[in-house]
Amino acid sequence: MSSIKALVSHQRIIDAVDAVFEAQLDFTTALVQFPSVRGQEGTCQDFLHDAYRARGYSVDRWKIDPQEIEHHAGFSPIDVSYEQAINVVATHRPRSQMGRSLILNGHVDVVPTGPVSLWQRPPFEAYFDDTWLYGRGAGDMKAGLGANLFALDALRSLGLQPAAPVYLQSVTEEECTGNGALAALVRGYKADAAIITEPVDEALVRANVGVIWFKVHVKGHPVHVASAESGSNAIDAAIHLIQALKNFEQKRNLEKVNYPRFAGIDHPINVNVGKIEGGDWASSVPAWCTFDVRTGLYPGESAEDQAREIQAFITEASGQHPFLSNNPAEVLFNGFMAEGYELTEGSQAEALLSTLHAEVVSEALNEITSLAYLDARVFALYADTPCLVYGPYSENIHGYDERVSLDSIRRVTKTLALFIANWCGLEKIS
Ligand code: ZN
C-alpha cells in the first residue's frame, strides 16, 4: 500500500470521487433510462461502448455465440434469440505494468418491470431525489456499472491511471443464464482479481447458491366444459404439480444442515413458480399449461445431478395424477444451469477490500450469504480468480420502485477507487 503514496494520498482519491460524483450520477441516470431487458440491451451497450471509447480504452463489443460456449461446464441452456446478446469489455493498458490486473464486472440486463401502473413513476424514467436514484435496474445493477467507470475517472481527474491492466466488463444474460460472464471468460479475459458491484448493501458475498431454471409442459384432454368429467384439465394438473413442488422445496431446505454457511438461514432454497400460461377458452377444458420454475442449489452440488432429481420428481408427481400418469409432464431446462460457490477466505484481494472499506465507511466489512444468482461463480469455479461481490445499498430490486442509495454509491466508488489504486498501483497518465 505504500507504493502509491509517493504519487497521491488516499484523501485526494476520496476527494476526487466526490468531485466527479455529479457526473457519475448523471451518467448512471442515463444508463437507467435504457430499458435493457433481455433482448433489448443493445442500445445500452452502445452507450457504454461509446463512454469507454471516449476515455481512450480499447473496446471489444461482440454478440455472444452460443456455439463458442456451449461445451463449457458453466454453460446454461437457452431458448431465446441471442441477436441482441451483446457483451462489451473495455481494456485499460498501462504504460508499464507494475501492479496486479483487475476485472470490474457488471451486468447490463434488467428484469421486466411488471405492471407499470403499480410504479409511482414509469420504471425507465430514472429520477433521483436527495437520497435515492429510482428506476428498474438502478440498483441491479447500473449503479455498479457507473461506479466501475467513475472510480477510474476519479483517478484520471488526478492525472493518474492504474499501473496494471484493468478490464471493464458490461455483460448481459446475468438475470437468466450467466452466459454473458461465461462468454467473456471463454473469450480470454482473465485477471488477478475481479470485483462485481452488485447491490449487496456494502457487504462482501462469502457464499452463493446456484440456480436452475426449468419449464414444465403439462398436457390435458380437451372437451366441452359441459362434459368436463370426460376430459382432463391441464391447468388443474399443473396445480397438482405445483403443490407437489412445495414438498420438493421443503425437502431441499432440510438439507441445509449439511452446509454450514446456509444452516443458519431460515429458507435458503426458494423454489419459485415465476410464470404460468395455459388454456385457450373459458368454456373448453384446457389442453395445455406451462409454468416456469426457478430453484436454488447449495455450493458443491452438481447442477446436472440436481436437474436429474428435478426431472425424476416431476415424473413421480405425474404418476400420482390420473391423467398425467399416462401422459407425464415434460421438463425443459431453459435457463440457469449454474452451480453455487464459496469465496475462499484469506485472499490478498479480500484483505485489501476489507481494509479500505473500513477506512471509507468506518465500520468492519460484513460478509453475507447470497440466495440470488451471481456471475461470481464463473470466476470462482472456472477461472480460479478471487471474485469480490461488493456494491451499494438498494431496495426493491426485481420489485416496484426499485431504488439505490446515493450515499452508498458514493462510498462504494471511493472504496473501489482506493482498491484500484492499491491493487493495480498507479502511474502518471503521461
Ligand atoms: Zn444483478
Side-chain angles (χ1 to χ4, degrees):
M1 302 241 301
S2 56
S3 58
I4 67 160
K5 279 192 178 144
L7 284 169
V8 67
S9 68
H10 280 195
Q11 191 57 48
R12 279 195 70 209
I13 292 174
I14 287 169
D15 292 345
V17 171
D18 281 328
V20 299
F21 192 73
E22 209 176 293
Q24 179 177 347
L25 186 52
D26 287 344
F27 181 85
T28 308
T29 304
L31 277 183
V32 179
Q33 284 166 350
F34 288 96
S36 55
V37 291
R38 191 58 259 291
Q40 296 177 46
E41 56 274 69
T43 51
C44 193
Q45 290 292 53
D46 287 344
F47 180 79
L48 280 159
H49 170 278
D50 292 350
Y52 297 149
R53 278 284 290 274
R55 288 156 170 87
Y57 301 123
S58 73
V59 187
D60 184 10
R61 178 189 192 280
W62 78 99
K63 189 162 77 180
I64 301 169
D65 180 354
Q67 288 190 342
E68 285 175 7
I69 54 175
E70 65 190 1
H71 301 296
H72 193 284
F75 176 73
S76 293
I78 48 181
D79 71 346
V80 294
S81 163
Y82 266 28
E83 268 314 299
Q84 286 287 320
I86 306 295
N87 269 356
V88 176
V89 176
T91 300
H92 158 74
R93 287 193 185 83
R95 278 182 294 118
S96 56
Q97 182 169 347
M98 277 135 44
R100 294 160 287 191
S101 59
L102 180 64
I103 288 169
L104 299 171
N105 171 289
H107 66 85
V108 74
D109 52 323
V110 302
V111 297
T113 61
V116 170
S117 60
L118 293 169
W119 287 68
Q120 288 191 20
R121 281 166 70 172
F124 297 109
E125 189 175 301
Y127 61 98
F128 55 87
D129 55 25
D130 291 340
T131 316
W132 302 98
L133 169 64
Y134 289 83
R136 168 60 81 234
D140 189 11
M141 60 163 291
K142 285 166 173 176
L145 284 167
N148 293 349
L149 179 60
F150 277 78
L152 288 165
D153 276 10
L155 299 171
R156 291 165 68 90
S157 74
L158 300 170
L160 298 168
Q161 63 183 17
V166 176
Y167 305 96
L168 287 161
Q169 299 188 336
S170 174
V171 301
T172 188
E173 280 280 315
E174 194 274 348
E175 298 285 6
C176 43
T177 60
N179 285 341
L182 185 71
L185 174 66
V186 169
R187 204 169 172 87
Y189 290 105
K190 287 181 184 159
D192 295 322
I195 295 179
I196 305 181
T197 39
E198 286 271 15
V200 291
D201 303 349
E202 296 179 48
L204 176 68
V205 176
R206 173 65 63 199
N208 183 210
V209 293
V211 172
I212 291 178
W213 271 17
F214 57 99
K215 188 184 206 61
V216 182
H217 290 263
V218 185
K219 291 195 194 95
H221 178 57
V223 293
H224 191 287
V225 66
S227 52
E229 70 287 349
S230 69
S232 177
N233 184 318
I235 293 176
D236 286 345
I239 291 168
H240 162 79
L241 294 177
I242 289 168
Q243 277 171 341
L245 277 170
K246 299 286 173 204
N247 301 331
F248 176 80
E249 182 179 39
Q250 196 176 23
K251 170 180 121 4
R252 294 285 288 142
N253 278 295
L254 291 174
E255 293 166 15
K256 70 183 181 181
V257 293
N258 302 321
Y259 301 90
R261 296 205 186 274
F262 293 80
I265 298 172
D266 189 33
H267 201 267
I269 300 293
N270 293 318
V271 179
N272 185 58
V273 178
K275 188 176 164 188
I276 185 163
E277 290 177 292
D280 302 296
W281 194 251
S283 292
S284 300
V285 169
W288 67 280
C289 183
T290 64
F291 58 94
D292 291 60
V293 189
R294 172 272 192 206
T295 184
L297 51 157
Y298 298 103
E301 288 187 320
S302 142
E304 273 184 23
D305 287 352
Q306 275 306 303
R308 270 191 291 274
E309 280 202 27
I310 289 162
Q311 176 72 68
F313 184 86
I314 294 290
T315 303
E316 195 191 321
S318 291
Q320 293 155 2
H321 183 272
F323 181 78
L324 296 185
S325 55
N326 290 316
N327 303 272
E330 285 168 27
V331 180
L332 175 75
F333 294 92
N334 65 339
F336 286 118
M337 186 62 70
E339 289 166 6
Y341 76 95
E342 283 190 24
L343 174 68
T344 309
E345 285 184 66
S347 72
Q348 291 180 350
E350 179 183 337
L352 179 59
L353 182 71
S354 231
T355 303
L356 297 171
H357 169 88
E359 187 178 324
V360 170
V361 181
S362 306
E363 279 173 28
L365 180 63
N366 285 326
E367 61 176 37
I368 57 165
T369 295
S370 165
L371 302 183
Y373 171 83
L374 295 167
D375 271 341
R377 60 108 195 181
V378 169
F379 298 95
L381 298 176
Y382 307 118
D384 197 22
T385 303
C387 182
L388 311 173
V389 179
Y390 171 84
Y393 183 82
S394 72
E395 291 182 351
N396 307 334
I397 60 169
H398 293 221
Y400 302 129
D401 301 319
E402 175 176 348
R403 62 187 190 174
V404 59
S405 156
L406 303 187
D407 284 347
S408 184
I409 298 175
R410 192 190 285 262
R411 284 191 297 270
V412 163
T413 310
K414 288 174 179 174
T415 305
L416 206 53
L418 292 172
F419 186 94
I420 296 165
N422 287 282
W423 183 257
C424 305
L426 291 172
E427 63 183 15
K428 289 191 177 143
I429 284 177
S430 58

